[in-house]
Amino acid sequence: MTAASSPLSLAPAGGLPTVGVLLPRDLAADAVLPYARRAEELGFGELWVVEDLGFRGGVAQAAAVLAATSRIHVAVGILPAAARNVAYAAMEVATLAQLFPGRVTVGVGHGMPDWMRSVGAWPQRPLALLRAYARGLGILLGGGRLDDDELGLSGVRLEPSSVPDVPPDVLLGVRGPRSLAVAGRFAHGTVLAEPTTPEYVRAALDQIAARGPHRLVGYDVAAVHDDEATALAAARPALAWIGEPDWAPHLAPLPFADELAELRARSATREDFARDLPDAWVRRLALAGTPAQVREQLAARGAAGLTTSVLLPTAADPLAGLADLARVL
């Protein structure tokens, strides 16, 4: 898959990334559409919705916020491949792309293994499935016929009336080296979970080894305040998970990776770990600080190769807190 059909342009090499914002998965239902409208009004370039088990569906959220807005680009990050038949996923995504041309991106990934196992959807060959899924979804969205034994599909295609004029980008939300390599070969881009430090961005790009233009989206915990200490305090609790094993690839390129692992090992709880993170580490692991400081951090990520930075809100009231995050735009 190449990026030739991409509805979004890539950020200039070394320039500031596009700044997007995440729609919190547990936001009150009556705040979802106001949140999307406010994000657009404030000038965010992208709005990312999530599909976490037990929360709201990614496609339904995307459709709702696309209909409630007029300009902001909406992306799903991510749909778990094993839980969705690729032909039916293509139908859903193609519908969004036809109704809202040029405003849709879809992210696909393995899904969290524990979640997938709990619903009986963890495949025997996760990497092979994801490779086939990314390739197959691109074929179907482009109007082609799909025959694929790995996916169990034979002679499947979208009807001509359902093929979008501008196929949306398909990105892979992955972090393991072999999965990143699949993204480099079969996807328009990659979605990196938080934290996306410049060191991690560069390491991931080396493993992606894309043959052409490749979108690189990174999530980061974000807190913006005129007082840096207040911003760091707001970001700190949201970093409680990064000491867990799944986050090791994010931390390995950092000069304090071993010290961080030691801190987690001697911390009784995730909350203790987050509380004891030195301010210097929080500055590296989150987009937290004054507007000028966060813009500097964004510039460093852009220089490393990130094309979109997705801010993860930390405010107690995410809708009210959007204006603070928008001060970095």
Side-chain angles (χ1 to χ4, degrees), residues 73-247:
H73 194 91
V74 177
V76 183
I78 59 172
L79 300 178
R84 288 177 175 271
N85 180 285
V86 70
Y88 283 91
M91 291 163 57
E92 299 277 17
V93 174
T95 300
L96 292 177
Q98 281 193 317
L99 296 176
F100 307 98
R103 294 183 58 204
V104 179
T105 290
V106 59
V108 177
H110 296 294
M112 297 296 285
D114 288 347
W115 291 350
M116 295 301 98
R117 291 188 179 100
S118 73
V119 297
W122 187 247
Q124 291 186 340
R125 306 195 320 153
L127 191 64
L129 175 72
L130 188 65
R131 183 189 300 114
Y133 201 100
R135 173 183 171 274
L137 187 56
I139 289 172
L140 291 171
L141 291 173
R145 167 182 163 139
L146 184 59
D147 297 275
D148 193 297
D149 291 340
E150 186 73 37
L151 299 172
L153 269 62
S154 175
V156 175
R157 67 189 318 156
L158 296 179
E159 292 297 321
S161 62
S162 298
V163 177
D165 292 334
V166 181
D169 280 357
V170 175
L171 279 57
L172 294 190
V174 291
R175 55 179 141 210
R178 292 190 299 165
S179 297
L180 289 169
V182 168
R185 184 175 178 187
F186 293 103
H188 295 112
T190 303
V191 184
L192 301 177
E194 72 284 357
T196 50
T197 64
E199 294 90 343
Y200 178 52
V201 168
R202 286 189 286 268
L205 282 172
D206 285 344
Q207 294 172 333
I208 290 166
R211 300 172 182 177
H214 193 83
R215 287 172 61 188
L216 191 65
V217 178
Y219 287 6
D220 268 303
V221 170
V224 180
H225 197 278
D226 287 330
D227 177 58
E228 183 195 20
T230 300
L232 294 175
R236 187 181 300 277
L239 297 173
W241 290 90
I242 65 166
E244 304 308 306
D246 283 346
W247 272 257

Side-chain angles (χ1 to χ4, degrees), residues 287-327:
L287 291 170
T290 67
Q293 289 172 326
V294 174
R295 281 193 290 270
E296 184 176 349
Q297 295 167 337
L298 287 167
R301 283 157 170 75
L306 199 68
T307 58
T308 296
S309 179
V310 181
L311 310 185
L312 310 187
T314 56
D317 182 347
L319 177 55
L322 273 177
D324 287 330
L325 295 182
R327 296 175 66 195

